[in-house]
Structures are given as structure tokens and as C-alpha cells.
Amino acid sequence: MNRREVMKFLTAGSMMVSTSILARGKGSKDIKPVVLSTWYNQAVHANNAAWSILKNSGTALDAVEMGVMVSENDWSNCCVGLGGNPDREGNVTLDASIMNHLGQCGGVAFLERIKNPIKVARAVMEKTPHVLLVGSGAQLFALEQGFRLEENILSDHAQNAFTEWKKKSKYQLKINIEKDGIDVPPTLPNGEKNHDTIGMIAIDAIGNFSGACTTSGLGFKMHGRVGDSPIIGAGLYVDNAVGAATATGNGEEVIRTCGSFLVVEFMRQGYSPEKACKKAVERIKNITPNKLSEIQIGFLALNKKGEFGGFALNKGFDFAVKSTYLDNEKYDAKSLI
Ligand code: SD4
């Protein structure tokens, strides 16, 4: 072996070592493309759909749109799409947003009877001069874009959940603010599930980020209530120079703190994705008027190197990551409480 061959051999060896480190998911190295999304059980399917685009050198934007649509189309999902839990008057109202590497973004809020709010959000981004359309205006726009008006019915599980909620909840159909206060429905009522928004962030093979977030919002919310998911900077934020972040949980707290924007700003200051998420959760802890044990907040973040992380207020927030080296590995986010 001459000197050049020895050098070649050594270089190949060190590449093999670093690849095996990445394969174990400890990557501080560049592992793009990468996609991750909230709540492991649904994230696996959504990530797979996104990955089918990313692995073929598709854009992060197409990937996140395709990915979260899996949850929107899942009639059994409690918390995303038209099968989700209704508001306190029995209407399913949907929120979604999308953002790309150029800082372009679009959202819809309080949208009824349209199957794929994320596609409408993308159309808002690409075909209007605006960022956010709501309610009947968003619906009208969707119809003009060729979306179909779906029947106004609840999925069986949503109907059951609604019936149970009406029996048990202290939240009345018509809220009495003096009597009931202005609390939002808790996301952790006695361990029952009232949340599972999908927030997805991705970096593609050429290093561009995008994100998407879509939800039926907190179950049994007041009619007209909009959460963080359709609001850029709250439920979702992308800055191609730094990274991307998304949020799940009680939207009120996330809006109050510009949560996803805050996470990206912490990453800009040099914090790792997990630490950036933790610092945003700490900020929420310091200012929320709600009982911390009754609500949940979870953030996910991804940086330029393809490093990722998540952090939650309470235990129980999990997520899945898909890349060449991670096959939907499950991560249980650390939590403040
Ligand atoms: C909202 N953040 O509407 C959403 C709910 C959620 O998992 O994330 N649920 O406030």
C-alpha cells in the first residue's frame, strides 16, 4: 500500500465509524434529510409518507404536506382532520399552517367541512397575497380552489367523546365566564387524551427546511376558538438560516409566548434543539396562569446540522424521527415536571 492508498483506507474507516454513530441516532453530524413529527403513534405513518418524498430528493415542503395529510385523512384520529373531536357545540373546526425555506407561509383557522386543511394552507401561501384565512372566508377560498364540502358529521369516536364530555365536564355548552372562569379545556384531564395535533418539521437533501402543523384543536373548545397551530411563530416556525420548530399542547400558552419562534431564536443563540425547546417550556412555566399539571406543551426542533430534539411540560410527549439512519425511532421527550 502506498501513502495515498493508506490515507484512502483510513478515511474510509473513519467514515464507517461516524456512520455507525449516526445509525444509533446519536448524530451530532449532518444526517439530512430528516423528518420528525409529534406523537409517536401517528408520527410513524406521517413520517413514512414524508420520507417517500425526501428519499427521492423531493422538497421538504412537499414532504411535510404529504406527511401530515396522513393524519388529516385518518378518520380515527381524535385530534386532526374531520374525524377529530368537536368544539363544545358539536362542530369540528380545523386549524393548519405551513411554512417553507423562503419564509413563505400560509394558514387556515376555524375551517369547517374541508378534508385537508394543510392543502388549503398551502394554497393560501402560494395563491393569495395573505398569510391566514379563517372561517367562512377560508372555506369559500377552499371551494374556489376545487376542494369539496364534506358532510357535517362526527366520527363515531368523536360523537362518543362528545357525549361523555357533556355528561362529565364542568365546561358548559354556553360558557358562563363568571361561574366557570375562562380556562381552556385541559389537555390532561385525568390522563384522558384531548390532544394529538401533528406538527412536522423536515430538512431536505439540499438543506432546505419546511414545516406543517394541522389539528382539530383542543376538543370541546369554545366555538370560534383558534389555537396555536395555524399561527406562524406559535405552532410552527421555520428560518432557513437556523432551523425549524413546531408545537403541540395547549395553544393558548404557545401563542402567549410565540413558542415556535422562541425555540428557533434560542437555536439561533446557539442552544441545541432540545435545550432550545426546554427553554421555551420554561418560559411558559413562568408565565402561564393555568395549572401546570393539567396542561401539556411539547416542542420539537431541528437545526441546520440535522440535529433534532424535543421537550415537554409534562411527561408523556413522544415523537418519531425518520432519516437514512433512523427508522422512525421513538423518542420520549424529557419534561419539566
Ligand atoms: C391547539 N395546539 O389547538 C393545539 C392542540 C394540540 O395536541 O396540540 N393538541 O391548541
Side-chain angles (χ1 to χ4, degrees):
M1 234 185 235
N2 62 29
R3 197 180 134 78
R4 182 182 288 172
E5 281 168 334
V6 169
M7 284 310 289
K8 228 171 146 180
F9 176 74
L10 288 176
T11 311
S14 67
M15 275 174 66
M16 275 167 62
V17 170
S18 59
T19 301
S20 69
I21 291 169
L22 294 174
R24 292 201 303 272
K26 306 281 183 242
S28 62
K29 299 275 188 325
D30 181 352
I31 59 166
K32 59 183 187 291
V34 183
V35 59
L36 58 157
S37 55
T38 54
W39 305 110
Y40 180 75
N41 285 340
Q42 64 173 331
V44 168
H45 308 292
N47 285 356
N48 283 341
W51 188 250
S52 69
I53 291 180
L54 290 173
K55 74 168 185 223
N56 293 317
S57 308
T59 65
L61 181 65
D62 287 341
V64 295
E65 181 191 32
M66 178 76 104
V68 301
M69 268 171 50
V70 172
S71 297
E72 287 183 346
N73 293 340
D74 178 0
W75 191 240
S76 70
N77 192 313
C78 71
C79 309
V80 183
L82 289 174
N85 288 333
D87 63 17
R88 67 182 67 210
E89 293 177 26
N91 304 296
V92 177
T93 71
L94 304 177
D95 298 339
S97 66
I98 194 160
M99 188 164 191
N100 72 12
H101 63 290
L102 299 171
Q104 295 165 335
C105 50
V108 287
F110 191 42
L111 175 63
E112 294 179 81
R113 298 178 60 185
I114 299 289
K115 192 171 174 192
N116 289 120
I118 199 66
K119 283 175 89 171
V120 189
R122 183 165 177 176
V124 170
M125 173 174 100
E126 291 178 341
K127 298 183 180 165
T128 79
H130 306 305
V131 163
L132 183 60
L133 293 181
V134 308
S136 57
Q139 191 188 66
L140 187 63
F141 170 69
L143 297 178
E144 281 168 5
Q145 293 297 311
F147 289 80
R148 216 178 63 191
L149 201 56
E150 304 291 335
E151 275 182 77
N152 193 10
I153 49 168
L154 295 181
S155 61
D156 288 347
H157 68 84
Q159 182 62 63
N160 290 340
F162 186 45
T163 309
E164 284 307 303
W165 173 81
K166 278 193 285 189
K167 279 190 219 155
K168 285 197 254 166
S169 179
K170 65 175 180 161
Y171 296 96
Q172 303 306 306
L173 280 182
K174 301 289 177 206
I175 194 165
N176 177 339
I177 290 180
E178 285 198 354
K179 187 162 141 282
D180 300 325
I182 52 167
D183 287 356
V184 294
T187 38
L188 298 170
N190 311 320
E192 284 168 34
K193 263 202 145 184
N194 184 20
H195 61 90
D196 244 1
T197 294
I198 186 151
M200 175 179 277
I201 47 181
I203 184 168
D204 59 28
I206 60 170
N208 284 332
F209 290 93
S210 281
C213 189
T214 178
T215 187
S216 51
L218 288 184
F220 324 120
K221 59 195 174 186
M222 287 177 73
H223 188 60
R225 179 266 188 191
V226 170
D228 58 316
S229 308
I231 297 178
I232 296 299
L236 177 68
Y237 197 67
V238 173
D239 181 330
N240 221 44
V242 178
T246 190
T248 179
N250 271 72
E252 281 71 10
E253 324 308 318
V254 179
I255 294 173
R256 257 195 270 283
T257 48
C258 302
S260 293
F261 177 77
L262 189 59
V263 171
V264 170
E265 289 309 299
F266 282 134
M267 288 198 291
R268 194 192 308 279
Q269 290 171 23
Y271 290 101
S272 70
E274 184 184 295
K275 194 74 205 289
C277 293
K278 182 178 183 200
K279 286 183 73 68
V281 173
E282 283 168 348
R283 179 76 59 87
I284 287 174
K285 182 184 169 222
N286 291 339
I287 68 163
T288 185
N290 287 311
K291 288 198 189 105
L292 294 175
S293 60
E294 286 187 0
I295 62 171
Q296 177 61 302
I297 310 287
F299 286 110
L300 292 186
L302 177 63
N303 73 13
K304 266 302 216 200
K305 293 186 214 155
E307 296 168 333
F308 54 83
F311 205 87
L313 179 61
N314 281 287
K315 288 195 180 60
F317 173 48
D318 49 27
F319 59 99
V321 184
K322 180 105 179 157
S323 73
T324 306
Y325 308 106
L326 300 171
D327 189 13
N328 271 319
E329 197 143 317
K330 181 177 184 213
Y331 290 85
D332 293 303
K334 291 186 198 147
S335 62
L336 222 50
I337 298 173

